Amino acid sequence: MRAALPAAAGLGVALQIALIATGLARPLLLAVSVVAVLVAVGAVWVLARRAVHAAGRERVAWTVVAVGTLLWMVGTALSLRTAIVRDIRPPPQPEALIGGTGAMLAMLCPIVGPSTSLPWRERLRMATEGGMAAAALFVPVWAFLLAPAYRHVGGVFTTVIAVAVCVQIITTAMSLVLLSRHQAHGPTAFTMLAAAFGVFGVTTVVYGAFVLTGRSNQMASVSALMTVGTFLLLAMGRYPMPADVPPWGGAATGRRAVLPYLPVLAAFPVAATQWFTGGFDGMLFATMSALFALILLRQFLVLGEVEKARAELQYQATHDHLTGLANRKLLYERAARWGRDRTPVALLLLDLDGFKQINDRFGHAVGDEVLVEVAGVLRAVIPERHTAARLGGDEFAVVLDPAPEVAEVAELGERIVAGIKACGRVGVSVGLAHEPTGRATLGMMLSNADAALYKAKAAGKGRVVLAPVALT
């Protein structure tokens, strides 16, 4: 299927170019339109079957896209009938309204399908990317299609076509943004839907160009592109509907990340050309101004994301991944300022009693639960201004800076022992080191606290033993 999709798309585009460039016989145009309708019938059947066999929000999503595809198919079939009987009427034709309604309905699928939502910053970032792509797509469409049409045709006729084209520009921009998102488990149903949206958007713009230039009045002129879009809808039924994460979630990484920016790269040369040829009017000025504003907003959001990522990396580098407590690195960083203001410091070195037996009997998963439980006790007992850390294994440390009197530190150690014992799975022995001048290094404090901890273990465990730091 992965190889068939690009092959079908390439064949459809090549056939469309051949039909337009060579002006082949009208029966061939109509034959390709019939193929588009038949593929749409298959797509409706496949999507409807997925809706019947689904449940919950997934059923709603499949139903929405199936009904939307059905309406679009009806509109395409009516367009084919109009082409056969040569019924030329001014827009908006009923078939265009029906098909457009179906496409707009199918666009609701990514909204009703996922069971989770994105943070507001992510939604704003994607909306900014979509607006940026839409503004950039509008620049060449206005310069080469709509502006000349308003000059030479004008009236309600041009406005109706312009509205339809602008709606499909938004659809195409949405498709680029959706296709740029990373999917951890590969393509999903929304990937195919987004690709179909993009094809239908391009189809509408091409059709609008033909209508405004008087070269075609029938939807059959873009029949090959319609076939590609309907084939994508047919393929959609073969992929899973994401239910656990938003289909537009995930970082825009790799080569696909540039998709929303491709129209931006094309917009600037077009605007420059119009400037030097005298075609840079008020609409282009407003669109380019909006494009610049959206680009600046996007960069601002990127800087915020970079700062957030940096803070997250910093947190991961200085905290234990299991318990969320500080790690040895952060403990040494905070100990580096000891002695500057001569404030007293204290260190409690903790080693769990009976933890090895827990691991041997129940496994490491239960052992991890015990470590997280101990971390919760430390957070509840230790004031926030002090530091609780996991040094590794079942060894923890608590640094009090500035430290209270020795008696208060010992009382805090007793509360830690009682709190961990109350959990009912392990006990703890504590070695306490106290330095009233703050001139000790962390290494000295750890050495003295470790000696005290050894005495606590030898004395029967589950107790606090004090070993004052002796400075040399």
Side-chain angles (χ1 to χ4, degrees), residues 53-400:
H53 293 92
R57 294 176 66 94
E58 183 176 345
R59 170 175 287 183
V60 175
W62 284 115
T63 302
V64 165
V65 73
V67 173
T69 305
L70 176 62
L71 291 176
W72 187 88
M73 181 195 71
V74 171
T76 304
L78 292 176
S79 296
L80 178 59
R81 184 199 65 82
T82 301
I84 293 174
V85 301
R86 300 179 181 271
D87 182 15
I88 301 175
R89 289 163 292 167
Q93 296 96 341
E95 54 267 29
L97 294 177
I98 295 174
T101 302
M104 295 298 293
L105 181 61
M107 287 171 61
L108 296 176
C109 184
I111 299 175
V112 301
S115 59
T116 55
S117 60
L118 290 175
W120 69 269
R121 183 179 288 274
E122 176 69 10
R123 290 198 300 267
L124 178 59
R125 181 173 64 124
M126 296 191 70
T128 302
E129 290 179 355
M132 185 176 64
L137 287 169
F138 181 76
V139 170
V141 171
W142 176 263
F144 302 126
L145 176 61
L146 296 181
Y150 272 108
R151 285 196 298 268
H152 303 299
V153 181
V156 177
F157 178 89
T158 301
T159 301
V160 170
I161 297 297
V163 170
V165 167
C166 289
V167 169
Q168 294 305 319
I169 284 176
I170 296 173
T171 300
T172 306
M174 286 176 54
S175 302
L176 292 174
V177 175
L178 292 176
L179 291 172
S180 71
R181 316 326 286 176
H182 172 69
Q183 296 295 327
H185 303 292
T188 66
F190 289 105
T191 308
M192 298 298 105
L193 186 63
F197 283 163
V199 173
F200 290 149
V202 173
T203 300
T204 302
V205 173
V206 173
Y207 176 59
F210 286 164
V211 171
L212 290 175
T213 56
R215 290 192 293 168
S216 174
N217 294 92
Q218 310 301 335
M219 202 62 174
S221 59
V222 287
S223 51
L225 289 179
M226 287 192 303
T227 306
V228 175
T230 50
F231 180 81
L232 291 169
L233 288 175
L234 178 63
M236 178 184 176
R238 300 175 60 90
Y239 286 87
M241 182 76 73
D244 55 339
V245 295
W248 48 76
T253 57
R255 288 176 294 180
R256 291 194 300 175
V258 304
L259 287 177
Y261 298 91
L262 293 178
V264 177
L265 297 177
F268 284 97
V270 171
T273 301
Q274 293 298 304
W275 175 273
F276 288 109
T277 58
F280 195 86
D281 56 10
M283 181 62 74
L284 281 180
F285 175 80
T287 304
M288 292 301 295
S289 299
L291 181 58
F292 273 113
L294 289 169
I295 291 174
L296 291 176
L297 177 59
R298 177 67 180 89
Q299 295 307 113
F300 175 78
L301 293 175
V302 167
L303 291 177
E305 292 169 3
V306 170
E307 179 61 26
K308 181 180 177 181
R310 188 199 64 80
E312 184 176 348
L313 290 175
Q314 177 66 19
Y315 179 87
Q316 293 175 355
T318 56
H319 289 77
D320 177 60
H321 73 281
L322 176 63
T323 63
L325 298 177
N327 60 15
R328 190 183 294 268
K329 180 178 183 294
L330 181 59
L331 202 64
Y332 273 91
E333 287 178 0
R334 294 185 176 177
R337 65 174 182 265
W338 290 359
R340 295 177 185 176
D341 50 6
R342 296 294 189 265
T343 58
V345 294
L347 184 142
L348 297 167
L349 190 62
L350 288 64
D351 189 82
L352 301 183
D353 302 327
F355 180 75
K356 184 177 184 302
Q357 289 79 3
I358 292 285
N359 260 346
D360 293 342
R361 182 176 179 182
F362 301 105
H364 291 284
V366 175
D368 289 345
E369 291 179 7
V370 172
L371 295 176
V372 172
E373 200 172 73
V374 170
V377 172
L378 294 179
R379 289 192 185 92
V381 174
I382 306 300
E384 290 185 4
R385 65 181 180 275
H386 302 307
T387 303
R390 181 189 177 203
L391 301 182
D394 62 339
E395 190 175 39
F396 296 82
V398 176
V399 171
L400 306 178

